[in-house]
Amino acid sequence: MGMATDRASWLTAGATPCKIYDPFPERPYRMILLGAPGIGKGTQAAMLCERFKTCHLSTGDLFRCALQDTSERSPAMWVALEHMKRGELVPDQTVIDLVRERLHCIRCDYGFLLDGFPRTVQQARALDNMFAELGLVADAVINYELPVETVVERLGGRRTCLSCKATFHLRSLPPKVAGVCDHCGGDLYQREDDRPESIRVRLAAYEQNTAPLKDYYAAVGLLVTISADGTPQQVFDRTLDALWSRSRS
């Protein structure tokens, strides 16, 4: 039975263990997750962490924490926040510093699933150095992929309630009444980020930025590319099959 504390140690750079499992997992799995926006990476992360009893270590969580909680900001968080306030990308070195402040999480006996880091080859090399310091080896870099038009269809059909922020999908989860939220009766709208032209721009930027990272991990034999087509369970089963095949090779 797992007991979670909201990844508090990861968010605050504290030393409190975030999980206790009994029985202990068969071994720690250490994985890195890649995947474009709208591909279903978050769902797969939750399923993988439940299966392997690993911690989901998301740099997106760190950035949200920096924006929302002024009491727990580490030195690197303060630097990251200043860049975010100016609408700038957080520099590689600052992101590396954020992760380095949390080496105890990387060292965790339960393993981890790193999500959002690394995003560049410079960050990947820095992570390699952290692994070397700790005597750790990554099991796999799981890279989820889908054709652009499939992602556009997935995100382009999403509608959000103006009032309660509930989300629907015109195809897979339509509201009972077109344009009206099932929960509060509010108006549904399409976010700017969910418009097809915006989605294509985001996907092109992701691919341009991530291609060198995928090449980097392919060169060292860690990249495992998975089709994200199908239901979440089908994608998850595909992922497990690929990981088992890798462990047996």
Side-chain angles (χ1 to χ4, degrees):
M1 180 81 179
M3 296 174 59
T5 60
D6 249 359
R7 301 195 294 279
S9 182
W10 174 247
L11 297 178
T12 65
T16 304
C18 59
K19 291 190 177 184
I20 301 172
Y21 284 108
D22 184 17
F24 198 83
E26 62 265 29
R27 76 170 182 86
Y29 280 83
R30 300 180 176 96
M31 297 172 285
I32 298 164
L33 203 59
L34 302 178
I39 212 163
K41 185 177 62 167
T43 299
Q44 294 305 311
M47 296 173 78
L48 285 164
C49 288
E50 176 63 25
R51 170 60 183 82
F52 292 110
K53 303 296 185 278
T54 60
C55 288
H56 181 197
L57 305 182
S58 164
T59 50
D61 286 347
L62 292 182
F63 294 143
R64 284 185 286 273
C65 181
L67 289 168
Q68 297 169 5
D69 189 348
T70 59
S71 64
E72 297 290 355
R73 288 177 186 156
S74 65
M77 269 193 179
W78 280 109
V79 176
L81 183 64
E82 290 305 312
H83 287 284
M84 288 187 284
K85 282 181 176 178
R86 294 193 293 267
E88 301 169 352
L89 290 175
V90 180
D92 278 350
Q93 189 56 55
T94 302
V95 180
I96 291 165
D97 290 343
L98 280 168
V99 175
R100 182 167 283 283
E101 288 176 343
R102 294 157 175 79
L103 279 185
H104 58 282
C105 291
I106 303 296
R107 192 188 294 115
C108 178
D109 290 339
Y110 296 116
F112 55 77
L113 183 69
L114 266 175
D115 180 2
F117 181 86
R119 285 189 182 274
T120 66
V121 171
Q122 180 181 342
Q123 292 179 15
R125 288 177 176 144
L127 183 61
D128 287 347
N129 291 336
M130 295 180 210
F131 283 172
E133 291 172 26
L134 299 173
L136 302 178
V137 177
D139 287 287
V141 176
I142 303 170
N143 172 45
Y144 290 109
E145 291 192 343
L146 266 181
V148 170
E149 291 308 314
T150 304
V151 180
V152 171
E153 180 184 354
R154 282 189 181 183
L155 291 181
R158 189 161 61 184
R159 297 294 183 271
T160 303
C161 177
L162 275 168
S163 300
C164 71
K165 309 305 179 185
T167 58
F168 298 84
H169 194 279
L170 297 182
R171 181 173 173 182
S172 61
L173 187 65
K176 294 175 183 177
V177 178
V180 179
C181 177
D182 291 355
H183 308 293
C184 72
D187 292 333
L188 301 182
Y189 76 106
Q190 185 178 43
R191 297 185 339 176
E192 187 63 37
D193 280 355
D194 290 340
R195 298 185 185 279
E197 57 274 19
S198 299
I199 297 166
R200 289 189 176 90
V201 170
R202 289 161 61 200
L203 293 177
Y206 173 84
E207 185 58 34
Q208 180 179 359
N209 293 332
T210 310
L213 188 60
K214 291 188 288 189
D215 291 344
Y216 178 85
Y217 281 121
V220 295
L222 283 175
L223 191 71
V224 178
T225 296
I226 307 291
S227 168
D229 193 23
T231 66
Q233 187 61 50
Q234 288 171 332
V235 177
F236 182 62
D237 291 342
R238 204 174 293 142
T239 304
L240 290 184
D241 287 344
L243 291 174
W244 299 146
S245 296
R246 178 179 175 80
S247 65
R248 291 193 296 267
S249 62

Short mmCIF file of all heavy atoms in Angstrom, two decimals, residues 37 62 65 99 124 130 134 221:
data_model
loop_
_atom_site.label_atom_id
_atom_site.label_comp_id
_atom_site.label_asym_id
_atom_site.label_seq_id
_atom_site.Cartn_x
_atom_site.Cartn_y
_atom_site.Cartn_z
N PRO A 37 2.98 18.00 -26.52
CA PRO A 37 1.71 18.40 -25.90
C PRO A 37 0.54 17.68 -26.54
O PRO A 37 0.49 17.49 -27.76
CB PRO A 37 1.64 19.91 -26.19
CG PRO A 37 3.05 20.34 -26.43
CD PRO A 37 3.73 19.16 -27.05
N LEU A 62 7.38 21.93 -10.46
CA LEU A 62 8.28 22.88 -9.80
C LEU A 62 7.96 24.32 -10.20
O LEU A 62 7.91 25.22 -9.36
CB LEU A 62 9.73 22.58 -10.16
CG LEU A 62 10.34 21.29 -9.63
CD1 LEU A 62 11.80 21.19 -10.05
CD2 LEU A 62 10.23 21.20 -8.12
N CYS A 65 4.76 25.42 -8.63
CA CYS A 65 4.99 25.66 -7.20
C CYS A 65 5.66 27.02 -6.99
O CYS A 65 5.30 27.77 -6.07
CB CYS A 65 5.85 24.55 -6.62
SG CYS A 65 6.18 24.70 -4.85
N VAL A 99 16.97 20.92 -10.47
CA VAL A 99 17.03 19.47 -10.30
C VAL A 99 18.14 19.09 -9.33
O VAL A 99 17.98 18.22 -8.47
CB VAL A 99 17.20 18.77 -11.66
CG1 VAL A 99 17.39 17.26 -11.49
CG2 VAL A 99 16.00 19.06 -12.57
N ALA A 124 20.59 17.12 -20.66
CA ALA A 124 20.82 15.67 -20.63
C ALA A 124 22.23 15.35 -20.16
O ALA A 124 22.44 14.41 -19.38
CB ALA A 124 20.58 15.09 -22.03
N MET A 130 24.98 13.96 -12.97
CA MET A 130 24.33 13.67 -11.69
C MET A 130 24.24 12.16 -11.45
O MET A 130 24.51 11.67 -10.35
CB MET A 130 22.93 14.30 -11.64
CG MET A 130 22.90 15.81 -11.68
SD MET A 130 21.19 16.45 -11.62
CE MET A 130 21.36 17.97 -12.55
N LEU A 134 26.01 9.87 -8.40
CA LEU A 134 25.20 9.04 -7.51
C LEU A 134 25.37 7.55 -7.78
O LEU A 134 24.81 6.72 -7.05
CB LEU A 134 23.72 9.42 -7.66
CG LEU A 134 23.36 10.87 -7.30
CD1 LEU A 134 21.91 11.16 -7.66
CD2 LEU A 134 23.62 11.14 -5.83
N GLY A 221 21.61 4.20 -26.72
CA GLY A 221 20.80 3.00 -26.58
C GLY A 221 19.71 3.06 -25.53
O GLY A 221 19.22 2.00 -25.10
#
